[in-house]
Amino acid sequence: MSDLPTTRLAELGITLPAPAAPVASYVPTVEVAGMLYVSGQLPFREDGSLVTGRLGVDVDVEHGRQAAERCGVMLIAQIRAALGGDLGRVERIVKLGAFVASDPHFTEQPKVANGASELMVAVFGEAGRHARSAVGVPVLPLGAAVEVDAIVAIRPA
């Protein structure tokens, strides 16, 4: 099986960072019965800084969408690490869960979450189309603006 997602990442000009270490008592990924569960990932910029703030207060929709995309980049980095570097083992991105730190009156969480969703399609093609939830929350770990987790169907090694 070819590793087309790695080629697509290169075409998009995306270099995957080292996977982020957990910030509490959990593991980044768990593989069970052909499924890979990826813990929530935060929006680290290329320079390693964290995108913080709240949508509808001090972060606008476009910056929130970019933050969600950065969460998606970290999700892919975690997937690659869990699969021994072989993104070609991804059969399908099954579901993303997007958590958006936002003002109680902010209602555009789906537009923010599109940053991660559109990245999955750009990298994995049709296999990147997924179910999704996008939820507004009052606060996220470390003051992050967005957090995204994933469920991924994988092929055997």
Side-chain angles (χ1 to χ4, degrees):
M1 170 72 52
S2 72
D3 192 355
L4 187 56
T6 298
T7 300
R8 288 182 176 148
L9 284 166
E11 290 169 353
L12 293 168
I14 297 172
T15 301
L16 294 179
V23 299
S25 183
Y26 61 91
V27 294
T29 60
V30 173
E31 182 180 341
V32 176
M35 301 297 282
L36 184 67
Y37 298 85
V38 186
S39 295
Q41 300 298 305
L42 300 179
F44 289 99
R45 295 180 183 97
E46 290 180 19
D47 67 5
S49 65
L50 181 65
V51 179
T52 60
R54 292 177 61 207
L55 277 289
V57 176
D58 54 1
V59 179
D60 64 22
V61 172
E62 179 54 25
H63 284 95
R65 190 200 65 72
Q66 291 170 12
E69 182 177 284
R70 293 306 303 171
C71 292
V73 168
M74 190 58 73
L75 282 169
I76 296 169
Q78 294 287 6
I79 293 166
R80 180 181 69 178
L83 300 180
D86 186 4
L87 289 173
R89 288 185 56 205
V90 171
E91 186 173 330
R92 179 85 190 243
I93 304 298
V94 176
K95 184 170 192 249
L96 296 183
F99 303 91
V100 181
S102 50
D103 179 84
H105 302 288
F106 182 82
T107 60
E108 297 187 81
Q109 290 85 359
K111 289 181 182 177
V112 171
N114 281 348
S117 292
E118 291 166 1
L119 178 65
M120 294 304 152
V121 174
V123 173
F124 297 102
E126 283 301 308
R129 295 198 183 281
H130 53 271
R132 184 184 83 192
S133 57
V135 180
V137 297
V139 66
L140 287 167
L142 306 177
V146 182
E147 179 176 354
V148 182
D149 64 10
I151 301 171
V152 182
I154 57 173
R155 294 178 183 87

